[in-house]
Structures are given as structure tokens and as C-alpha cells.
Amino acid sequence: MTREKARQHGKAGTYNSGCRCQPCTAAVAERLRITRANLREKARTNPELVPHGTSGAYHNWGCRCPICKSAQRARQSRTRT
């Protein structure tokens, strides 16, 4: 059996192994959506958990405080150049 046949498509792990087919891409997007939702719920419950001053706090935790917005702007300016 070839390696391609052994892959189970539609799984985030298969995407992480290099597959970029639509089912695997959708699976990893869904996993990220769930992870972000869980982090945002944790942030509502305990705001001290949010790693303020990072673009991850902006994207993953959903924080929009001035410090996190500034970190996101700095990240965007670095990736544009």
C-alpha cells in the first residue's frame, strides 16, 4: 500500500503531514475554529490567562485591548515589508 492510500483524508493530522486537499484543509480550519472558541471562552471566564501584547492574543483569544491591537499592527507591518 502506498503512503497516499494510507492517508485518511479529512483529518487535521493529515493536513499537518502535508496534504492540502479540500477535506483536510476544512478539517484543520474547523479544529482551529474550535480551539479559538475554547480560548475565547477561557478569556471570558478568566481574563488573566490572555497573553496580552501578542498577535496571538488578538487572533486566538479575541482580545481587542490597546496593547493587543498594537501588537497586531506591528505584526502586520513586519509581514508587509
Side-chain angles (χ1 to χ4, degrees), residues 5-81:
K5 287 183 182 178
R7 284 185 177 178
Q8 292 183 341
H9 292 280
K11 297 184 178 282
T14 308
Y15 178 92
N16 292 339
S17 296
C19 182
R20 297 300 185 261
C21 73
Q22 193 282 327
C24 292
T25 301
V28 80
E30 177 63 11
R31 184 173 69 181
L32 181 58
R33 186 193 66 74
I34 291 168
T35 299
R36 285 179 173 166
N38 289 338
L39 288 175
R40 290 170 185 199
E41 181 59 33
K42 286 181 185 180
R44 280 190 287 279
T45 305
N46 187 357
E48 294 177 9
L49 294 174
V50 179
H52 292 285
T54 65
S55 62
Y58 184 89
H59 282 288
N60 300 321
W61 293 81
C63 183
R64 298 299 186 262
C65 76
I67 297 168
C68 292
K69 284 181 180 180
S70 177
Q72 175 58 17
R73 280 192 300 272
R75 180 176 184 256
Q76 286 177 327
S77 69
R78 284 192 308 270
T79 58
R80 288 182 184 153
T81 58

